């Protein structure tokens, strides 16, 4: 089972596990029950379902409010285990607190926690995503670190250089930006998306993405 945010790091983690011939039983996506969108990346249900179809991996949603996030995650992990999962895969890179939190949730559910990208170079990882042919659009930004004008842009080496030149981490591991992957080597078909309005919420901004066509 892959904990799938729809972003570039979880897509790369999934790619690596598939390259090692592991068979995923599901895409675990945590969903904000109030907004009916994924937590942190703000991806709506039609897009989540389209990602699941293109990846040919069943979608497993853990719906919750913020206060019950950990409990909902554990419940979803138990469901994954009942579906045949022996481990949960995460795209975390080097923030120890994130690794510890995810490992604790997995331990409570009786699953191994696997981190295929752990402690690798951040810039090298985002360049690997791009070089493999993944198409990742910038979905959310911390306005103090990344210019909102980049919302809706697809990651490229030039864009990563621009982000780094502003003083932000090029991989966005500290939450400077989040992405939505709509195509790549593990997708059976690209998702055709429409870029909508930019939504401001305090220190952050996000662009609304809508599924136009699948496949």
């Amino acid at each position: 089972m892959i904990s799938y945010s729809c972003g570039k790091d979880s897509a790369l983690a999934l790619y690596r596990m598939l390259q090692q011939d592991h068979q995923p039983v599901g895409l675990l996506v945590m969903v904000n029950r109030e907004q009916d969108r994924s937590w942190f990346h703000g991806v709506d249900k039609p897009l989540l379902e389209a990602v699941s179809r293109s990846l040919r991996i069943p979608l497993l949603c853990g719906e919750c409010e913020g206060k019950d996030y950990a409990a909902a995650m554990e419940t979803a992990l138990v469901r994954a285990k009942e579906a045949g999962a022996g481990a949960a895969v995460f795209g975390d890179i080097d923030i120890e607190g994130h690794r510890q939190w995810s490992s604790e949730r997995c331990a409570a559910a009786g699953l191994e926690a696997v981190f295929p990208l752990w402690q690798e170079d951040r810039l090298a990882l985002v360049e690997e995503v791009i070089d493999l042919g993944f198409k990742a659009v910038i979905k959310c930004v911390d306005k103090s670190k990344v210019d909102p004008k980049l919302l809706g842009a697809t990651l490229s080496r030039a864009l990563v250089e621009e982000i780094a030149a502003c003083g932000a981490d090029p991989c966005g591991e500290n939450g400077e930006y989040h992405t939505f992957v709509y195509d790549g080597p593990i997708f059976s078909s690209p998702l055709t998306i429409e870029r909508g309005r930019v939504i401001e919420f305090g220190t952050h901004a996000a662009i609304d993405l809508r599924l136009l066509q699948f496949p």
Side-chain angles (χ1 to χ4, degrees):
M1 190 280 302
I2 174 83
S3 177
Y4 197 76
S5 69
C6 294
K8 58 181 176 48
D9 300 329
S10 58
L12 181 58
L14 175 58
Y15 171 85
R16 289 191 177 180
M17 297 304 287
L18 291 173
Q19 289 296 106
Q20 297 172 22
D21 294 324
H22 293 283
Q23 299 299 316
V25 302
L27 296 173
L28 173 55
V29 181
M30 298 302 292
V31 172
N32 184 319
R33 183 181 292 119
E34 181 180 350
Q35 299 178 1
D36 205 29
R37 291 173 177 261
S38 67
W39 279 96
F40 310 115
H41 290 63
V43 181
D44 66 19
K45 285 288 186 65
L47 268 178
L48 292 176
E49 291 165 356
V51 168
S52 171
R53 294 198 301 273
S54 187
L55 293 176
R56 296 173 178 167
I57 303 173
L59 180 63
L60 174 60
C61 289
E63 298 190 5
C64 64
E65 300 173 4
K67 61 185 178 181
D68 60 342
Y69 191 100
M73 179 75 156
E74 290 176 13
T75 298
L77 289 169
V78 169
R79 288 166 56 200
K81 182 178 181 181
E82 291 171 348
V89 176
F90 300 87
D92 297 290
I93 300 173
D94 57 20
I95 298 179
E96 185 59 46
H98 292 179
R99 180 186 177 108
Q100 181 178 350
W101 188 92
S102 298
S103 296
E104 289 172 354
R105 305 287 79 72
C106 286
L111 292 173
E112 177 187 1
V114 178
F115 301 86
L117 314 183
W118 190 246
Q119 292 189 332
E120 294 191 30
D121 182 79
R122 292 181 178 186
L123 178 58
L125 286 171
V126 71
E127 290 179 341
E128 182 179 351
V129 167
I130 294 165
D131 293 346
L132 284 169
F134 283 103
K135 304 299 182 185
V137 61
I138 295 183
K139 181 73 172 65
C140 310
V141 298
D142 178 339
K143 294 187 292 185
S144 69
K145 303 292 179 59
V146 176
D147 194 325
K149 72 178 184 181
L150 299 183
L151 287 166
T154 295
L155 274 186
S156 64
R157 280 178 173 256
L159 186 55
V160 169
E161 289 178 4
E162 182 177 348
I163 290 170
C166 295
D169 179 73
C171 194
E173 178 69 356
N174 303 309
E176 293 92 339
Y177 70 93
H178 295 299
T179 58
F180 173 77
V181 177
Y182 60 90
D183 192 16
I186 56 178
F187 285 71
S188 61
S189 300
L191 308 184
T192 303
I193 56 174
E194 179 181 52
R195 292 157 174 80
R197 66 190 181 99
V198 171
I199 305 165
E200 302 274 350
F201 49 104
T203 58
H204 291 68
I207 189 168
D208 194 30
L209 301 176
R210 186 168 66 91
L211 179 68
L212 285 182
Q213 183 179 353
F214 177 85

